[in-house]
Amino acid sequence: MMKKPTLTALLFSFLFFKAFAQTYTPGQSYFGTNGYVEYLAGNLPIIVTAPHGGLLSPASIPDRDCAGCTTVNDFNTQELARAFAAAVHERTGCWPHVIFNKLHRRKLDANRDLLEAADGNPDAELAWNEFHIFVETAKNQVLPTFGKGFYMDFHGHGHDIQRLELGYLLSQTELQLADNVLDGQTYIKQSSIRHLASNNALELSHSELLRGPLSLGSLLSGRGYPATPSLPDPFPDPDEDYFDGGYNTVRHSSYQFGGRLDGVQIECNRQGVRDSMHNVLRFADSLSVTLLEYLGLHYFGDAAESLCPSDPALPAPPVPDFFDIFPNPYCVHFFVKLTDHAPAGDWVCEVYDFYGNLLKTKPLEQDQTLEIAPRNRENVLVVLRRDGAVAALQAVLQLCR
Ligand SMILES: [Zn+2]
């Protein structure tokens, strides 16, 4: 029997198609439904997310009250991400990709799995999906163009020690291990710089990339921003607070097998970094210089100088045009139809809700127009199969004007 795809697989494929359906102009912002998520499109191999800095608190989304859920925002991290993008642009003329969750953490935690992130609210769930769709969109621009890239998830911590906590998905106990142990495959496989560890220009070891003189932590420390891990502060001591990376770093970094986007969670201390806009701007500028240096050292060598493409608008690959879904968004019902370009085969149309539950399955003949009216009038995912294999996916949003 043919295995049904999981929701994750479906969404991933959907993101793939959606990302290819639009051209994004670097330096311009694009918004998800209700403006809850913002994507500042870029053209450099740098992706940044700011999941805990949103300020919107719409009454239509109840406050999250799940047991043990954190609802406190990371002060000034949205501002930091924006300032970082501006600083990179100032220095290079190009843009990093930045994705903002604009909802307050009371409404959505965009660094958790869906269940904890949205606490069951459909609008928050949609925003969560759109947040990750935009990250995947950015990856779909970065990886085909540059072959690799670097991801940073921006946060702010309230720990006593005023230092940047760089989370590579290695716990503080693991970071206390000797360099030669961290250089073994066991720990490389758990690392968010897994790809870089075996593909870096200077052939540095994993531990050197974590806390050697040319590690991100050491470069930042050298510019006056103490960080751990780094040469001066190679690991957090057992009695010290430390964040080692969360959902986004796991999902979007090269920790995932075969991933080519390395990443780190940057937990910023408050004093001197986030406590005033003056300090935010100063840190954003230092981080931009440091990161560009880092990309030159470990990723692109001298080519780092010319990462800006001559044509800043990257063309979008063509969208397969063998199906039409209209209208989208729909109000009560929508229609699905194969076009003349659709290859012959046994076509089946499946409709899923955003949780991955199959709502409907209908065979689809050439020249036939299927009418679909989801019972709950919700956002759905349409999957077209040809001879059993997924051939196309499209999200269909519900909106009555
Ligand atoms: Zn946070």
Side-chain angles (χ1 to χ4, degrees), residues 228-308:
T228 190
S230 67
L231 195 60
D233 193 355
F235 50 83
D237 287 335
D239 58 338
E240 294 171 356
D241 289 323
Y242 170 70
F243 287 127
D244 60 14
Y247 178 88
N248 291 343
T249 311
V250 169
R251 176 164 172 176
H252 295 298
S253 76
S254 62
Y255 165 80
Q256 297 290 349
F257 177 72
R260 287 176 289 132
L261 185 77
D262 299 296
V264 68
Q265 174 172 307
I266 302 193
E267 284 279 353
C268 302
N269 49 295
R270 192 160 177 136
Q271 236 171 286
V273 177
R274 295 184 292 124
D275 51 356
S276 68
M277 268 320 285
H278 174 79
N279 284 337
V280 165
L281 293 172
R282 207 172 62 99
F283 175 63
D285 190 53
S286 294
L287 183 60
S288 72
V289 181
T290 308
L291 197 78
L292 293 168
E293 181 186 5
Y294 187 80
L295 289 180
L297 283 168
H298 303 307
Y299 286 82
F300 299 104
D302 294 339
E305 303 290 323
S306 48
L307 286 175
C308 280

Side-chain angles (χ1 to χ4, degrees), residues 184-211:
Q185 279 304 314
T186 308
Y187 295 99
I188 291 178
K189 280 185 187 162
Q190 293 178 36
S191 169
S192 62
I193 50 168
R194 178 177 182 171
H195 183 259
L196 184 65
S198 37
N199 301 274
N200 67 83
L202 301 171
E203 299 188 351
L204 299 183
S205 67
H206 185 218
S207 59
E208 286 174 306
L209 291 166
L210 293 172
R211 57 194 178 199

Side-chain angles (χ1 to χ4, degrees), residues 347-367:
W347 286 89
V348 173
C349 173
E350 296 175 341
V351 180
Y352 291 81
D353 67 16
F354 267 47
Y355 302 94
N357 300 313
L358 183 62
L359 305 178
K360 272 184 211 307
T361 307
K362 288 189 178 180
L364 179 57
E365 305 289 337
Q366 202 88 37
D367 302 327

